[in-house]
Structure formats: C-alpha cells, structure tokens
Amino acid sequence: MTRDIFQPSGQIQFGIFFQGVNSGTIWKAPQAGSQTDFESFRHIAQTAERGKFAAFFLGEGLRLREHLGRPHALDVVGRPDAQTMLAALAAVTKNIGLVATQNTTYNDPADLAHRLSSLDLISGGRAAWNIVTTDNAWTGANFRRGGYLDHADRYKHAEAFVETSKRLWDSWETPTGPARRVHHEGQHYTVDVTPRLLRSAQYRPVLFQAGDSPDGRDFAARQADVIFSAHPKFDDAVEFRRDIVARSIAAGRGASAVQIMPASEFILGATDQEAQEKKAWVRSLQIGPQQAIAYLEQFWGRELSSYDPDGPLPEIDPVVEETSETRGSGFHGAKARQLADQWRAEAKDKGLSIRQFVTSKTARIDSTFTGSYTAVADHLAEYARVGAVDGFNISPWLIPTGLDDIVNHLVPELQERGVYPTEYRGTTLRENLGLETPVRSGEPAHV
Ligand SMILES: Cc1cc2nc3c(=O)[nH]c(=O)nc-3n(C[C@H](O)[C@H](O)[C@H](O)COP(=O)(O)O)c2cc1C
C-alpha cells in the first residue's frame, strides 16, 4: 500500500521555540531583550514571519525551579502565560502558526479545548497545541496532588484528554448546528457539555507532541500531527523517522501522517571560522560562573559557592542520596555519589574546570548546527532530500535578535536550493504545514 511507504517531501520548514526560562538563552548580553516584555516577543515573531517560519512556539513551565529555597540560578524568573501571549501576537502577525505548549496532567479538557479554540478563531486558524504530560511532582505540588500520576498513567490520561478535546472540536457540523453534546466520565475528570465555539478556518488546532519515551512516541503516532522531537542530528533523525513511520503505520494512520520537527540551535557566520568564534562567545555567555556552580549544586544538594568556577570539580561529596534537590530539572533519581565520582573522573581525565565541564554537559551540543551559511544550508538540504525531518524548531540563543542571521542569510540559501518555502502556502497553519483537514467523525452524540 503506497500509504504505508514514506515519501520525502523534499522540503523543510522552520519553527521558533522561545524557551523563556533556561540557561540556553543569553540574557546578560547588552543586546538581550526581556523574557516578559511584549516587544521582545513581537520582534522575534515578526522576524520569523519575514523568514516564512511555519510556527512560533512557547514552552510551558508551570513552576519556577528552586534550589535550596531560592529561585534556581539557571532559570530566569517569569514566563507570561503562553495563550495570553500568543493571542497578543495574533494581532501583530498574519501567517505564522501560534503554538502553545500545554500539559494534559493539570488542565481540564473542556476548558483547555475552549481556550485553544478561542486562539484558533481569533488568529484565523493559526493555533496549535504542543501536548506535553509534564513529568514532575514538583510541578504537581502547586496543583493537584504532587506526582499524582505515574508515567504510564499520564499517557493514558493524555490520550483520553486529547480524544475528548477532538470530540469537542468536532462538535458543530455547521455554524447553526446541530451540535453534539460531549459526555465523558474519566478517572480524573468529567465532561458533560455542548461546546460553545464553532470550528475554525483550519477545522481545529494543529496538534504537536513533545515527549520521547516509547509510550510518548506511540501516543504521538496515534494522536499528533507533528512531533517536536529531541533528535536533530542526521543519523539519529533518520532513525527517529524510521521509528515514527513504523509506529504510525501500526496505528493505522499511514507512513506520512506525523511530521517531525526536532529542537535545534544554529550558530552561523559568513565563514566556518567566524561561526566557531561566535560559538565560543555564545557558550561563554550561556554558562557563566554563577550558572556553573548552580548547575553542580543541583546534583550535590549543597551550597558550592565557595568553589572556584575555574577550578576542579568539588572533592566534597553530595549530601543527597538521589539528585532530586532541584525538582523539574529532569535528572531525578540518579545516585548522587556515583554521579559525582563519575563526573570528577571525567573532568580530571579531560582537564576541565567546573565551568568547562558544565558547559560541555549543558550546551545543546547535540542540537547545535555550527558553520557557514552555505555549509549549513547544504547540510539541511540533505535532511530534506532523504526526508529525515519535516523541519527544525529553532531555539535562538539571543532574544530578540537571535533569528536575524537565520532569516537574513540561511533562509535565502535554502530557498536557492529549492528546499524551503518562498511564500506561505495559505492562511492557516494546517495549510502551511501541508496537513490534511480532519474529517468530521460519524460518532454518535453520547460516547
Ligand atoms: C523537545 C521537548 C520539549 C518539551 N517541552 C516541554 C515544555 O515546554 N514544558 C513541559 O512541561 N514539558 C516539556 N517537555 C516534556 C514533556 O512534558 C514530557 O512529559 C516529558 O518529556 C516526559 O515524557 P516522555 O517520558 O515521553 O519523554 C518537552 C519534551 C521534549 C522532548
């Protein structure tokens, strides 16, 4: 069946992932903008649109990470609510998709589906939902009951959540009805409602998914339009595509049903040497002395501010059993002493100071493309040729001007190679991504 054979489109698209809080974005350079000022968001969204980017993404962090009772030095305080920000951006952009990362664990489907429909309607069919399950008890302590769902249950819950949302969006046949009433009785929520909003210009919000476990991948293969993946490097991307194609076919959706856009970072210059020099500058600002110490403190569970960031890793042992002191870091559960021993040995072996070691551990090395505009364009054209990905979701290292290099130099190189759009295909995100419009299901009113 041709539906089960993957055909590369020969094209790539770009999205921008505005992370907001993390040490990958440089906030201390004089030209850095602000993570809460609308101007920064407007500037970068309009720059992305000038570069024909398909989508503008906002991540979600529901709770600021803390360390020893203080906001974590790796984070920047404050991240405005994604849907509020995207609604404001809808008014100052025309074509770019607006993607809100929202979790299924601490929301309710009728409410979230309504808010996403609202964004979809006011943006003329440009809204998308990046579905995450959010993985830590630290976040949960500010909502329901801490880590109230384990990993497998989070995905079961997510699936029921997304299916219910789809039924809500599927509810109105025509603007005058009749609408289907949606009823669902789940373990964690109940829905009994006639949705209040009509379909948007793109039928319903586009569904992205970010989560990399086997459960997460199967969930995406069944439910998502696009995966925001963590596999940008060529061989890894090809392998990830193979895996997702197999899962999509097994889910009965065909080989090309799910698009893939990995997280990435681009450090570019007119020459390879210029790009390498810029990379050294970017890295030096991403991990300063304070961030380097704060990073280690997460694993040691104690103050390390008396250690020299340019000296060796601390000889003192961690005070925690497991590396869970800073929740939300994604490193829970490693045995702290074992990890400290291993890292000390590795740093000694490679002759690295604390700062150099932390830079090597935290830099988005696996997702960074460094080189001249032409060399990187040639490399990306190869991804398009074999269909390794459908695009890249780019985290700029500097806000709001970090996309300028890409839009001014890389995009034209890609357009010249015929692998990147020269115009938006349509007015909705679904059209611009080349996704099919969903068919209204024939399900009865009460399921
Ligand atoms: C590329 C990528 C980006 C993500 N962005 C977010 C985010 O902004 N907010 C969030 O709560 N979780 C985010 N997640 C994590 C998801 O919440 C997911 O629940 C987590 O990875 C656990 O699922 P898994 O075990 O399937 O990977 C992201 C995951 C990936 C792979």
Side-chain angles (χ1 to χ4, degrees):
M1 244 169 45
T2 50
R3 198 170 162 268
D4 285 351
I5 297 170
F6 175 73
Q7 299 281 1
S9 69
Q11 295 289 304
I12 51 171
Q13 303 254 17
F14 283 159
I16 166 202
F17 184 49
F18 189 134
Q19 295 200 347
V21 289
N22 60 82
S23 55
T25 309
I26 296 169
W27 298 109
K28 46 190 173 284
Q31 59 273 55
S34 155
Q35 83 283 7
T36 54
D37 183 359
F38 181 67
E39 258 322 284
S40 295
F41 291 80
R42 187 190 61 74
H43 182 105
I44 207 144
Q46 290 180 341
T47 306
E49 195 160 61
R50 185 160 59 77
K52 313 291 179 239
F53 276 43
F56 179 98
F57 273 69
L58 287 174
E60 180 192 58
L62 289 174
R63 187 166 181 185
L64 198 63
R65 297 187 302 170
E66 288 172 26
H67 178 62
L68 302 174
R70 297 187 303 269
H72 199 285
L74 288 170
D75 282 355
V76 174
V77 177
R79 165 139 66 174
D81 172 67
Q83 288 178 83
T84 310
M85 182 55 78
L86 294 174
L89 288 174
V92 295
T93 54
K94 255 182 77 181
N95 294 100
I96 196 165
L98 303 163
V99 193
T101 301
Q102 299 282 298
N103 76 86
T104 49
T105 306
Y106 305 110
N107 277 295
D108 271 80
D111 174 51
L112 183 59
H114 179 74
R115 284 187 283 126
L116 289 164
S117 282
S118 306
L119 182 63
D120 212 14
L121 283 167
I122 65 173
S123 64
R126 293 190 281 140
W129 172 19
N130 180 33
I131 306 163
V132 296
T133 56
T134 298
D135 56 358
N136 54 76
W138 175 241
T139 299
N142 191 32
F143 295 87
R144 311 208 166 158
R145 307 185 294 274
Y148 84 105
L149 287 176
D150 66 22
H151 189 274
D153 283 341
R154 275 205 303 279
Y155 274 112
K156 275 192 206 131
H157 179 70
E159 191 118 20
F161 193 120
V162 172
E163 279 176 356
T164 304
S165 304
K166 285 181 176 172
R167 287 171 51 212
L168 291 161
W169 290 322
D170 214 17
S171 183
W172 288 83
E173 181 144 31
T174 63
T176 49
R180 294 171 182 153
R181 192 175 177 83
V182 176
H183 181 76
H184 173 87
E185 210 137 314
Q187 207 184 339
H188 303 289
Y189 61 85
T190 303
V191 174
D192 186 15
V193 70
T194 303
R196 289 164 283 171
L197 287 174
L198 304 172
R199 270 182 241 156
S200 75
Q202 64 169 353
Y203 194 100
R204 69 176 179 226
V206 170
L207 298 183
F208 286 72
Q209 179 272 1
D212 201 29
S213 61
D215 282 352
R217 293 180 186 199
D218 276 336
F219 165 68
R222 288 191 294 269
Q223 301 292 351
D225 299 306
V226 189
I227 296 178
F228 176 15
S229 90
H231 302 278
K233 286 286 141 122
F234 191 81
D235 292 347
D236 194 22
V238 168
E239 172 52 28
F240 186 72
R241 165 76 79 189
R242 193 201 55 69
D243 184 69
I244 294 303
V245 165
R247 289 177 198 269
S248 307
I249 293 169
R253 290 183 67 207
S256 308
V258 186
Q259 299 191 356
I260 301 170
M261 293 178 74
S264 56
E265 178 190 56
F266 287 83
I267 304 179
L268 307 170
T271 62
D272 282 338
Q273 195 192 335
E274 193 184 306
Q276 290 300 339
E277 282 164 16
K278 198 186 277 181
K279 184 176 181 174
W281 176 79
V282 168
R283 295 288 182 249
S284 74
L285 286 173
Q286 282 174 327
I287 296 291
Q290 196 195 358
Q291 281 87 11
I293 296 293
Y295 182 83
L296 287 192
E297 284 180 346
Q298 305 179 93
F299 301 94
W300 263 252
R302 65 194 314 159
E303 287 265 6
L304 299 173
S305 53
S306 60
Y307 286 84
D308 177 4
D310 295 316
L313 264 63
E315 278 306 327
I316 193 166
D317 271 329
V319 293
V320 287
E321 278 295 303
E322 296 197 339
T323 55
S324 58
E325 191 61 24
T326 305
R327 315 320 157 80
S329 64
F331 293 98
H332 311 174
K335 295 283 171 220
R337 262 164 212 245
Q338 227 172 313
L339 193 80
D341 284 344
Q342 201 182 310
W343 281 7
R344 278 190 287 251
E346 188 182 330
K348 199 168 167 204
D349 199 40
K350 295 182 181 159
L352 301 177
S353 67
I354 289 179
R355 202 166 156 191
Q356 289 165 329
F357 181 77
V358 173
T359 301
S360 77
K361 282 279 171 232
T362 53
R364 304 183 198 127
I365 285 164
D366 282 331
S367 61
T368 303
F369 294 83
T370 310
S372 68
Y373 307 124
T374 53
V376 171
D378 284 342
H379 188 41
L380 298 193
E382 190 57 15
Y383 281 75
R385 193 183 66 76
V386 305
V389 300
D390 296 282
F392 292 89
N393 208 8
I394 303 170
S395 287
W397 35 265
L398 196 61
I399 301 287
T401 54
L403 275 193
D404 294 2
D405 258 5
I406 294 167
V407 168
N408 296 340
H409 301 288
L410 182 62
V411 163
E413 292 281 347
L414 293 168
Q415 287 168 332
E416 253 176 48
R417 286 161 179 75
V419 299
Y420 189 90
T422 50
E423 284 304 331
Y424 284 105
R425 276 195 244 185
T427 58
T428 70
L429 176 58
R430 199 175 291 283
E431 285 172 283
N432 287 323
L433 289 172
L435 294 165
E436 282 174 21
T437 303
V439 178
R440 189 175 191 245
S441 68
E443 68 184 36
H446 300 274
V447 183

